[in-house]
Amino acid sequence: MNCRPFGSILTHPAAIAALVVLVVNDHLLKAAYPGWITGKLSDFAGMVLAPLVLVAIVDAIAPVRAWMGWASAVAVGCAFALCKTWAPATEAYEAGLALARTPFQWAMAALLERPPSTERVVLVRDASDLIALPMGAVAARVASGRGRRSAHVHDRQLAARAAGLEHVANSRSEQRLTAR
């Protein structure tokens, strides 16, 4: 049974870091420093974040099992590989993302009192981006629960270490007292 609140997987440090990298890279770094590194950086971050988002969506429908993290990483990896290497998949991705972002563009246009953006969604098809596929394993480990130890286990380990240090400190002070 899943005892985590819905979407809590997205508060994991790996998910937050991936989101920050995506936003900063896509909106600042790519424009300022276009090149191979900034091109791959979003792919690496996306391969961590996208499977975790998929797990959070599945979590809204049914309890998440440990294997679902790996399944989501494989599913996202396959979709990513198809989009990066096969023209029909690239075009489907571009059309789907354009459709998905339309309500947000209209809402922003209404709030800012300006016409909605007509920017086209463009995905660069580049097989070298597949170098980011192993990052799905990071997402899978986080989703399966091995990416973060429970607070209870962590607290017990800290308590055991502290007790061990206290024992060592006390035994040394006892040795000094008996030596005098």
Side-chain angles (χ1 to χ4, degrees):
M1 185 170 146
N2 185 3
C3 59
R4 296 179 303 194
F6 165 70
S8 66
I9 191 106
L10 298 177
T11 63
H12 189 280
I16 294 169
L19 179 61
V20 168
V21 168
L22 271 171
V23 169
V24 169
N25 190 53
D26 286 355
H27 295 281
L28 299 173
L29 297 177
K30 280 186 178 179
Y33 308 102
W36 190 86
I37 297 289
T38 54
K40 303 299 180 241
L41 201 53
S42 291
D43 297 330
F44 278 81
M47 279 304 302
V48 172
L49 186 61
L52 296 177
V53 169
L54 183 56
V55 167
I57 291 168
V58 170
D59 192 26
I61 301 165
V64 172
R65 307 277 186 246
W67 59 267
M68 289 179 182
W70 291 99
S72 69
V74 169
V76 168
C78 288
F80 179 75
L82 279 172
C83 290
K84 289 297 189 170
T85 59
W86 190 44
T90 305
E91 292 164 10
Y93 171 83
E94 291 171 343
L97 186 56
L99 186 62
R101 77 178 191 176
T102 299
F104 300 104
Q105 288 178 322
W106 281 91
M108 287 302 295
L111 285 172
L112 301 174
E113 298 179 352
R114 65 174 195 204
S117 172
T118 56
E119 251 181 71
R120 192 169 159 256
V121 173
V122 178
L123 176 72
V124 177
R125 203 170 47 250
D126 178 5
S128 73
D129 289 344
L130 300 182
I131 193 170
L133 284 173
M135 295 306 290
V138 172
R141 286 185 60 82
V142 168
S144 67
R146 284 182 264 156
R148 176 191 283 179
R149 287 192 267 180
S150 72
H152 180 66
V153 170
H154 186 66
D155 289 346
R156 278 196 341 229
Q157 289 175 343
L158 278 175
R161 288 183 185 141
L165 290 174
E166 181 182 341
H167 174 72
V168 169
N170 287 340
S171 65
R172 291 209 175 146
S173 62
E174 287 172 14
Q175 288 173 354
R176 276 186 253 149
L177 288 174
T178 56
R180 289 182 185 182

